[in-house]
Amino acid sequence: MSQSATLQRVQAVDFYGRLEEEVREHSQGTALLFLYCAGDSSGSEAELSEVQSFVDQLSGDNGKVLQDANYGVMAITLPGYSLDAAHYQALLLKQHLQGRLGEADPRITLAALTETPSMQTMKQMAESTRLSTSSDIHIFTQEEADREHNRILIVDQDATVREFLQIRLAMQGYETLEALDGLEALELIAKWEPDLVLTELNLHGIDGLPFIHHIQQLDVKESPKIVVLTEKRVEQTISQCFQNGVDDYVTKPFSPVELDARIRRCLH
């Protein structure tokens, strides 16, 4: 067996940077495949071994497999492969995993690249693969990669809430950043200039209406839309938020579908 594929487990903070470097090395073009096994084996040593074994047997000597150690998503680079050739190998890989690991239930997103995609595009591909409910191989098109993304800043002290919102919004094509508190959020708004701020009111440092007021006083080209997502249900607080320019107010627990609709309405 050749040693064409090198499997590397990397933390999420390094995963996309390493992947970007790998894709950039192959100026002649490369196929990029994201894989996530939705079954109980996701991220297992057996699964990783089977993927590496499969890629090792492909012709050529530059294939690489990287895994996001946090989420179990794998990225496979196939330098020099056309879309048709990569799609054929993706079908074979899917069959290979189903045969060797019956519980694996592979989800695959595939793209043939002529230039290095942005980190946000790669994140969108990976997260759509991880959250896919279809076993069909998804071909990620240049049109999807070129689509303009609205920027949303998520502000919440709860890491679980931030992660859920980040994944769901990225799935819909939004660019996202996260802030733990009001002071960090104000710095990011000034530097990154998001289109919308999705924020809790209960924050460290500066919170509530003073935080809303500070957002609106920042020296930016265009003030972001503000959607409050909070546990506060007091009618007076809700009324004051709208009086102070908040675009929408959603209370926790919330319906993700309803929140999606309200964000779209604010942005469009």
mmCIF file of all heavy atoms in Angstrom, residues 110-133:
data_model
loop_
_atom_site.group_PDB
_atom_site.id
_atom_site.type_symbol
_atom_site.label_atom_id
_atom_site.label_comp_id
_atom_site.label_asym_id
_atom_site.label_seq_id
_atom_site.Cartn_x
_atom_site.Cartn_y
_atom_site.Cartn_z
ATOM 1 N N LEU A 110 -18.820 17.819 -2.114
ATOM 2 C CA LEU A 110 -17.693 17.741 -3.043
ATOM 3 C C LEU A 110 -17.616 18.991 -3.890
ATOM 4 O O LEU A 110 -18.637 19.542 -4.311
ATOM 5 C CB LEU A 110 -17.883 16.509 -3.945
ATOM 6 C CG LEU A 110 -16.899 16.291 -5.086
ATOM 7 C CD1 LEU A 110 -15.507 16.018 -4.543
ATOM 8 C CD2 LEU A 110 -17.382 15.135 -5.957
ATOM 9 N N ALA A 111 -16.386 19.442 -4.153
ATOM 10 C CA ALA A 111 -16.172 20.580 -5.046
ATOM 11 C C ALA A 111 -14.882 20.375 -5.831
ATOM 12 O O ALA A 111 -13.916 19.818 -5.306
ATOM 13 C CB ALA A 111 -16.099 21.886 -4.263
ATOM 14 N N ALA A 112 -14.887 20.806 -7.095
ATOM 15 C CA ALA A 112 -13.669 20.821 -7.904
ATOM 16 C C ALA A 112 -13.203 22.267 -7.965
ATOM 17 O O ALA A 112 -13.931 23.158 -8.407
ATOM 18 C CB ALA A 112 -13.948 20.278 -9.302
ATOM 19 N N LEU A 113 -11.988 22.529 -7.490
ATOM 20 C CA LEU A 113 -11.514 23.891 -7.307
ATOM 21 C C LEU A 113 -10.471 24.267 -8.357
ATOM 22 O O LEU A 113 -9.623 23.464 -8.718
ATOM 23 C CB LEU A 113 -10.898 24.048 -5.912
ATOM 24 C CG LEU A 113 -11.759 23.561 -4.741
ATOM 25 C CD1 LEU A 113 -10.939 23.566 -3.471
ATOM 26 C CD2 LEU A 113 -13.001 24.426 -4.596
ATOM 27 N N THR A 114 -10.560 25.490 -8.817
ATOM 28 C CA THR A 114 -9.513 26.044 -9.681
ATOM 29 C C THR A 114 -8.731 27.132 -8.966
ATOM 30 O O THR A 114 -7.707 27.586 -9.450
ATOM 31 C CB THR A 114 -10.126 26.627 -10.970
ATOM 32 O OG1 THR A 114 -11.128 27.600 -10.611
ATOM 33 C CG2 THR A 114 -10.788 25.523 -11.792
ATOM 34 N N GLU A 115 -9.231 27.552 -7.814
ATOM 35 C CA GLU A 115 -8.528 28.510 -6.977
ATOM 36 C C GLU A 115 -8.873 28.220 -5.522
ATOM 37 O O GLU A 115 -9.838 27.512 -5.222
ATOM 38 C CB GLU A 115 -8.900 29.951 -7.336
ATOM 39 C CG GLU A 115 -10.370 30.255 -7.231
ATOM 40 C CD GLU A 115 -10.725 31.652 -7.704
ATOM 41 O OE1 GLU A 115 -10.036 32.171 -8.599
ATOM 42 O OE2 GLU A 115 -11.676 32.225 -7.155
ATOM 43 N N THR A 116 -8.068 28.767 -4.617
ATOM 44 C CA THR A 116 -8.269 28.487 -3.193
ATOM 45 C C THR A 116 -9.552 29.150 -2.694
ATOM 46 O O THR A 116 -9.703 30.365 -2.820
ATOM 47 C CB THR A 116 -7.077 28.996 -2.371
ATOM 48 O OG1 THR A 116 -5.881 28.427 -2.884
ATOM 49 C CG2 THR A 116 -7.235 28.614 -0.909
ATOM 50 N N PRO A 117 -10.497 28.388 -2.132
ATOM 51 C CA PRO A 117 -11.722 28.990 -1.602
ATOM 52 C C PRO A 117 -11.434 29.742 -0.311
ATOM 53 O O PRO A 117 -10.433 29.494 0.363
ATOM 54 C CB PRO A 117 -12.624 27.778 -1.348
ATOM 55 C CG PRO A 117 -11.674 26.662 -1.074
ATOM 56 C CD PRO A 117 -10.469 26.928 -1.933
ATOM 57 N N SER A 118 -12.325 30.658 0.024
ATOM 58 C CA SER A 118 -12.172 31.370 1.287
ATOM 59 C C SER A 118 -12.389 30.422 2.446
ATOM 60 O O SER A 118 -13.011 29.362 2.313
ATOM 61 C CB SER A 118 -13.177 32.520 1.368
ATOM 62 O OG SER A 118 -14.493 32.015 1.495
ATOM 63 N N MET A 119 -11.878 30.795 3.609
ATOM 64 C CA MET A 119 -12.069 29.980 4.798
ATOM 65 C C MET A 119 -13.549 29.862 5.135
ATOM 66 O O MET A 119 -14.018 28.804 5.564
ATOM 67 C CB MET A 119 -11.283 30.573 5.974
ATOM 68 C CG MET A 119 -11.117 29.625 7.140
ATOM 69 S SD MET A 119 -9.956 30.217 8.382
ATOM 70 C CE MET A 119 -8.413 30.196 7.455
ATOM 71 N N GLN A 120 -14.311 30.939 4.907
ATOM 72 C CA GLN A 120 -15.742 30.905 5.190
ATOM 73 C C GLN A 120 -16.446 29.908 4.279
ATOM 74 O O GLN A 120 -17.344 29.174 4.707
ATOM 75 C CB GLN A 120 -16.355 32.297 5.004
ATOM 76 C CG GLN A 120 -17.853 32.367 5.268
ATOM 77 C CD GLN A 120 -18.215 32.010 6.695
ATOM 78 O OE1 GLN A 120 -17.428 32.244 7.601
ATOM 79 N NE2 GLN A 120 -19.397 31.444 6.897
ATOM 80 N N THR A 121 -16.020 29.830 3.008
ATOM 81 C CA THR A 121 -16.613 28.865 2.085
ATOM 82 C C THR A 121 -16.343 27.445 2.539
ATOM 83 O O THR A 121 -17.226 26.586 2.518
ATOM 84 C CB THR A 121 -16.068 29.077 0.667
ATOM 85 O OG1 THR A 121 -16.480 30.360 0.181
ATOM 86 C CG2 THR A 121 -16.586 28.009 -0.289
ATOM 87 N N MET A 122 -15.113 27.181 2.982
ATOM 88 C CA MET A 122 -14.788 25.838 3.459
ATOM 89 C C MET A 122 -15.566 25.502 4.724
ATOM 90 O O MET A 122 -16.006 24.366 4.913
ATOM 91 C CB MET A 122 -13.286 25.710 3.675
ATOM 92 C CG MET A 122 -12.497 25.724 2.370
ATOM 93 S SD MET A 122 -10.746 25.289 2.546
ATOM 94 C CE MET A 122 -10.121 26.743 3.401
ATOM 95 N N LYS A 123 -15.755 26.479 5.600
ATOM 96 C CA LYS A 123 -16.562 26.251 6.801
ATOM 97 C C LYS A 123 -18.002 25.925 6.423
ATOM 98 O O LYS A 123 -18.627 25.037 7.007
ATOM 99 C CB LYS A 123 -16.529 27.483 7.709
ATOM 100 C CG LYS A 123 -15.227 27.691 8.447
ATOM 101 C CD LYS A 123 -15.309 28.905 9.344
ATOM 102 C CE LYS A 123 -14.025 29.117 10.126
ATOM 103 N NZ LYS A 123 -14.111 30.305 11.006
ATOM 104 N N GLN A 124 -18.511 26.640 5.439
ATOM 105 C CA GLN A 124 -19.884 26.396 5.000
ATOM 106 C C GLN A 124 -20.028 24.985 4.439
ATOM 107 O O GLN A 124 -20.996 24.281 4.734
ATOM 108 C CB GLN A 124 -20.284 27.419 3.929
ATOM 109 C CG GLN A 124 -21.732 27.305 3.485
ATOM 110 C CD GLN A 124 -22.079 28.306 2.390
ATOM 111 O OE1 GLN A 124 -21.275 29.167 2.053
ATOM 112 N NE2 GLN A 124 -23.251 28.179 1.831
ATOM 113 N N MET A 125 -19.044 24.558 3.657
ATOM 114 C CA MET A 125 -19.071 23.205 3.102
ATOM 115 C C MET A 125 -19.031 22.158 4.211
ATOM 116 O O MET A 125 -19.784 21.175 4.195
ATOM 117 C CB MET A 125 -17.899 23.009 2.145
ATOM 118 C CG MET A 125 -17.988 23.797 0.852
ATOM 119 S SD MET A 125 -16.504 23.569 -0.189
ATOM 120 C CE MET A 125 -16.639 21.821 -0.582
ATOM 121 N N ALA A 126 -18.119 22.350 5.178
ATOM 122 C CA ALA A 126 -17.967 21.376 6.261
ATOM 123 C C ALA A 126 -19.220 21.297 7.116
ATOM 124 O O ALA A 126 -19.689 20.203 7.481
ATOM 125 C CB ALA A 126 -16.762 21.743 7.115
ATOM 126 N N GLU A 127 -19.776 22.453 7.459
ATOM 127 C CA GLU A 127 -20.925 22.461 8.357
ATOM 128 C C GLU A 127 -22.186 21.952 7.666
ATOM 129 O O GLU A 127 -23.027 21.298 8.285
ATOM 130 C CB GLU A 127 -21.118 23.869 8.916
ATOM 131 C CG GLU A 127 -20.054 24.198 9.959
ATOM 132 C CD GLU A 127 -19.852 25.681 10.166
ATOM 133 O OE1 GLU A 127 -20.494 26.487 9.455
ATOM 134 O OE2 GLU A 127 -19.026 26.039 11.025
ATOM 135 N N SER A 128 -22.323 22.220 6.361
ATOM 136 C CA SER A 128 -23.472 21.685 5.638
ATOM 137 C C SER A 128 -23.373 20.169 5.535
ATOM 138 O O SER A 128 -24.385 19.466 5.558
ATOM 139 C CB SER A 128 -23.577 22.318 4.248
ATOM 140 O OG SER A 128 -22.472 21.966 3.446
ATOM 141 N N THR A 129 -22.140 19.662 5.433
ATOM 142 C CA THR A 129 -21.941 18.210 5.410
ATOM 143 C C THR A 129 -22.327 17.602 6.747
ATOM 144 O O THR A 129 -23.041 16.597 6.824
ATOM 145 C CB THR A 129 -20.465 17.879 5.107
ATOM 146 O OG1 THR A 129 -20.074 18.530 3.898
ATOM 147 C CG2 THR A 129 -20.251 16.380 4.963
ATOM 148 N N ARG A 130 -21.864 18.222 7.820
ATOM 149 C CA ARG A 130 -22.125 17.699 9.163
ATOM 150 C C ARG A 130 -23.608 17.685 9.500
ATOM 151 O O ARG A 130 -24.101 16.778 10.175
ATOM 152 C CB ARG A 130 -21.365 18.541 10.177
ATOM 153 C CG ARG A 130 -21.561 18.121 11.627
ATOM 154 C CD ARG A 130 -20.702 18.957 12.556
ATOM 155 N NE ARG A 130 -21.046 18.671 13.935
ATOM 156 C CZ ARG A 130 -21.422 19.571 14.819
ATOM 157 N NH1 ARG A 130 -21.492 20.843 14.481
ATOM 158 N NH2 ARG A 130 -21.708 19.237 16.058
ATOM 159 N N LEU A 131 -24.346 18.684 9.021
ATOM 160 C CA LEU A 131 -25.754 18.798 9.381
ATOM 161 C C LEU A 131 -26.690 18.269 8.301
ATOM 162 O O LEU A 131 -27.907 18.383 8.428
ATOM 163 C CB LEU A 131 -26.090 20.260 9.681
ATOM 164 C CG LEU A 131 -25.354 20.881 10.864
ATOM 165 C CD1 LEU A 131 -25.792 22.319 11.061
ATOM 166 C CD2 LEU A 131 -25.581 20.084 12.138
ATOM 167 N N SER A 132 -26.139 17.694 7.244
ATOM 168 C CA SER A 132 -26.962 17.197 6.148
ATOM 169 C C SER A 132 -27.867 16.058 6.612
ATOM 170 O O SER A 132 -27.475 15.201 7.411
ATOM 171 C CB SER A 132 -26.064 16.708 5.007
ATOM 172 O OG SER A 132 -26.850 16.085 4.001
ATOM 173 N N THR A 133 -29.076 16.045 6.088
ATOM 174 C CA THR A 133 -30.015 14.960 6.370
ATOM 175 C C THR A 133 -30.173 14.038 5.168
ATOM 176 O O THR A 133 -31.001 13.132 5.182
ATOM 177 C CB THR A 133 -31.392 15.523 6.768
ATOM 178 O OG1 THR A 133 -31.892 16.339 5.690
ATOM 179 C CG2 THR A 133 -31.304 16.350 8.033
#
